[in-house]
Amino acid sequence: MAPPLPLIFLLMIHRVSSSDWGVNYSHLYICALKNSSVIMSCNYTYPTGYKIEKVFWTKNPVNCENSPDLSEDPEYSQRLQYLGDKQQNCTIRLSHVTQKDSHMYYFRFTTDKPDGKWTGKPGVNLTVTDLQVEAPERVTEGQNVSLTCKSSCALTDRATFIWYRNSQPLTERRDRNNQLLLQSVRREDAGRYRCALQEHTYISPAVYLSVTYPPKHTFVAVSPCCELVEGNSVNLSCNSDSYPPALNFSWFKGGTFVGSGRIYSISKISSNHSGEYKCKSITEHGEKYSDAVTLNVTCVGCLVKLYTTGVVCGAAVVIMMVLIWVKKRKDTQESQMNQSKLQAPVGNLTESVYENLMV
């Protein structure tokens, strides 16, 4: 049985009315960067014979009849700009967006007729995101490392990423790739990394990348550095360039282990401490020996003893020589006296014989 003519006529009117009313959005989902400007593009249609009286955008409407006009909202009035018209275009620009602006947005218009009101659904889902650098906390020198500039959603606009290290742009990295690849990392690559989008003011928070490397340039410093006198104190300190800094040190005199710790102290140095010393700096990433330093200890007491001994020995020699001279002189005198005694009787005897001969 065919439906009555009035019902068919009403159905035809409904179909025509529904097809004549509508809002077409260019993008139903938009992911925008924090502090950027967002353009929500759309166009709308309505039946012939209706005159547009009011056009506006609203968000999260509960009751379409009482949907608020965002241009009258203090949070949006200074940032919202209507770029459309009262004919077909309903595009708007929302600037300086933040995460608080993440909502569903709808275009609504009213006409001069009581039944001429329309809200475009499903609307535009706006998500506002920031940027975050994802990187390992530390990497070992010589390895490869990849840093990623991440967002909570896929950005709708074409994104050209820019990278910064210690606030200086890495100009060699200016492309659409959201990753920064560092090959054969050096210690100079350590620093604070940020990422941004070209032609956008927003820059991500900084992430510090540490580059670990084994000890290098290990050397020994001696204090006091100049003449070492017996009985004084001396400190030997082991220094090296490494990250993380070395905490373990070993000391050697010649090839013999003599102590540990960054500073090796000798409280009362003596000539026995003279020799070559070197240290070894040790970390979890490696170890490094220093060049040897030579300690020469001056023995002041030894000079005094040598001088004193020389004086005593000299005096003894002099005394000995005097004694020998005295003894020789005495012996000489005694010898002369004995000879005199022997010559006297011989002389008397000669005179007596001579006198007898003369008689």
Side-chain angles (χ1 to χ4, degrees), residues 301-315:
C302 294
L303 295 177
V304 174
K305 291 176 182 178
L306 180 61
Y307 175 77
T308 304
T309 302
V311 171
V312 172
C313 292

Side-chain angles (χ1 to χ4, degrees), residues 285-305:
H285 301 287
E287 59 186 39
K288 179 72 173 179
Y289 281 93
S290 70
D291 292 335
V293 296
T294 302
L295 298 186
N296 293 316
V297 182
T298 301
C299 181
V300 176
C302 294
L303 295 177
V304 174
K305 291 176 182 178

Side-chain angles (χ1 to χ4, degrees), residues 208-281:
Y208 192 85
L209 176 67
S210 299
V211 179
T212 62
Y213 52 92
K216 297 182 178 181
H217 311 300
T218 303
F219 65 95
V220 174
V222 182
S223 177
C225 63
C226 302
E227 183 178 0
L228 302 178
V229 179
E230 186 180 48
N232 290 349
S233 298
V234 63
N235 291 326
L236 283 69
S237 61
C238 190
N239 303 272
S240 66
D241 177 21
S242 65
Y243 188 83
L247 299 178
N248 296 320
F249 303 89
S250 297
W251 288 93
F252 301 87
K253 179 183 179 184
T256 304
F257 174 81
V258 292
S260 59
R262 197 181 76 85
I263 297 179
Y264 178 64
S265 298
I266 305 175
S267 58
K268 292 183 179 180
I269 196 167
S270 67
S271 57
N272 294 331
H273 293 111
S274 296
E276 290 188 341
Y277 291 80
K278 63 182 178 180
C279 69
K280 180 171 66 173
S281 176

Side-chain angles (χ1 to χ4, degrees), residues 4-17:
L5 290 177
L7 180 58
I8 295 176
F9 181 72
L10 290 175
L11 291 173
M12 291 177 63
I13 293 176
H14 178 72
R15 290 193 187 99
V16 171
S17 299

Side-chain angles (χ1 to χ4, degrees), residues 317-333:
V317 171
V318 171
I319 293 171
M320 184 65 68
M321 292 177 66
V322 170
L323 292 175
I324 293 173
W325 180 81
V326 170
K327 186 175 186 303
K328 284 185 176 181
R329 184 177 177 79
K330 184 177 181 181
D331 292 342
T332 302
Q333 291 177 348

